[in-house]
């Protein structure tokens, strides 16, 4: 295990909390972020974590919802044709209990080729996308937690200026927690402190 600690982080004005490394900076300090999102990046590694609150998609089956959202994001980023699904599963949330049982998040992990911002296909990077879907049915909300880990940086990508082109330096080698661990910790430590965030939930 790399010597990097996860620290408690407040989201959505403290209504939600979780934990991830301090090196991830709040993007809203730099540019505007939609109200239903919290976005954090580590520019030195071109890694990002996104927390998103969406209206509950009631028609989706719980078991397949994470995979559905992963495919949806890939299609939004013009990567639907090259998405490779690596894994689907579940993670139990330590602190968030609805009734007696702990809440379970569906997860899905895939690789895809994506371009930064308005760059074209010739500047695509290969990234691994981790996605968790926490279904807060009592608050009619689908929570999405997504983590982006670059695997291969294209020399033509904007990312190459900050991170250097070629295969990404493994996290352990850089003294960082691997993105797979950061993602797990961010999901498992996710907790709601103020249900009023969800338009006066329970």
């Amino acid at each position: 295990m790399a010597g990097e600690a996860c620290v408690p982080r407040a989201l959505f004005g403290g209504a939600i909390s979780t934990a991830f490394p301090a090196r991830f900076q709040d993007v809203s300090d730099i540019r505007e972020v939609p109200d239903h999102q919290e976005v954090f990046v580590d520019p030195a590694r071109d890694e990002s974590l996104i927390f998103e609150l969406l209206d509950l998609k009631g028609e989706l089956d719980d078991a397949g919802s994470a995979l559905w959202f992963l495919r949806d994001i890939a299609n939004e980023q013009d990567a639907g044709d090259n998405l490779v699904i690596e894994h689907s599963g579940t993670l139990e949330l330590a602190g968030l209990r609805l009734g007696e049982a702990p809440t379970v998040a569906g997860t899905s992990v895939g690789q895809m080729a994506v371009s930064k911002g308005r760059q074209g296909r010739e500047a695509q990077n290969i990234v691994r996308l981790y996605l968790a879907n926490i279904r807060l049915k009592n608050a009619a909300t689908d929570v999405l937690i997504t983590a982006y880990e670059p695997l291969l940086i294209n020399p033509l990508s904007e990312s190459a200026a900050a991170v250097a082109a070629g295969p990404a330096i493994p996290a352990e080698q850089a003294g960082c927690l691997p993105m797979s661990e950061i993602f797990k910790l961010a999901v498992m430590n996710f907790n709601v402190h103020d249900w009023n965030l969800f338009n006066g939930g329970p």
Side-chain angles (χ1 to χ4, degrees):
M1 181 69 80
E4 180 180 43
C6 280
V7 296
R9 306 289 287 257
L11 306 174
F12 300 101
I16 290 172
S17 68
T18 184
F20 51 89
R23 63 186 166 93
F24 285 86
Q25 303 164 15
D26 189 339
V27 168
S28 67
D29 294 340
I30 306 157
R31 62 172 169 81
E32 207 168 318
V33 170
D35 286 347
H36 70 287
Q37 285 185 350
E38 292 271 22
V39 182
F40 298 85
V41 297
D42 175 6
R45 291 188 56 76
D46 203 32
E47 295 176 340
S48 57
L49 266 174
I50 302 170
F51 301 84
E52 195 166 6
L53 307 178
L54 302 173
D55 289 334
L56 186 77
K57 280 205 170 295
E59 70 277 14
L60 284 185
D61 174 49
D62 289 357
S65 65
L67 182 56
W68 186 91
F69 281 114
L70 187 75
R71 290 190 193 283
D72 189 51
I73 288 173
N75 287 330
E76 274 178 20
Q77 301 195 18
D78 198 22
D81 57 348
N82 65 52
L83 175 67
V84 178
I85 304 300
E86 296 182 340
H87 173 75
S88 290
T90 56
L91 285 172
E92 201 171 278
L93 278 63
L96 185 60
R97 298 179 85 82
L98 300 173
E100 291 307 303
T103 306
V104 173
T107 63
S108 202
V109 182
Q111 275 190 43
M112 58 187 185
V114 292
S115 306
K116 279 262 179 173
R118 293 192 177 84
Q119 290 195 290
R121 284 190 165 229
E122 72 285 349
Q124 285 179 328
N125 300 320
I126 307 295
V127 301
R128 180 174 285 124
L129 175 59
Y130 302 82
L131 182 142
N133 176 210
I134 304 165
R135 314 211 79 191
L136 301 179
K137 294 184 180 178
N138 57 322
T141 300
D142 268 316
V143 179
L144 293 189
I145 301 176
T146 48
Y148 288 82
E149 174 188 19
L151 302 177
L152 186 67
I153 303 294
N154 188 312
L156 299 176
S157 170
E158 290 172 9
S159 305
V163 195
I169 296 167
E172 293 89 341
Q173 203 176 311
C176 301
L177 269 180
M179 203 59 186
S180 56
E181 288 299 312
I182 293 168
F183 169 72
K184 273 185 203 162
L185 289 163
V187 174
M188 291 164 70
N189 286 293
F190 183 92
N191 207 349
V192 177
H193 304 286
D194 182 2
W195 289 94
N196 291 318
L197 175 68
F198 309 101
N199 302 322

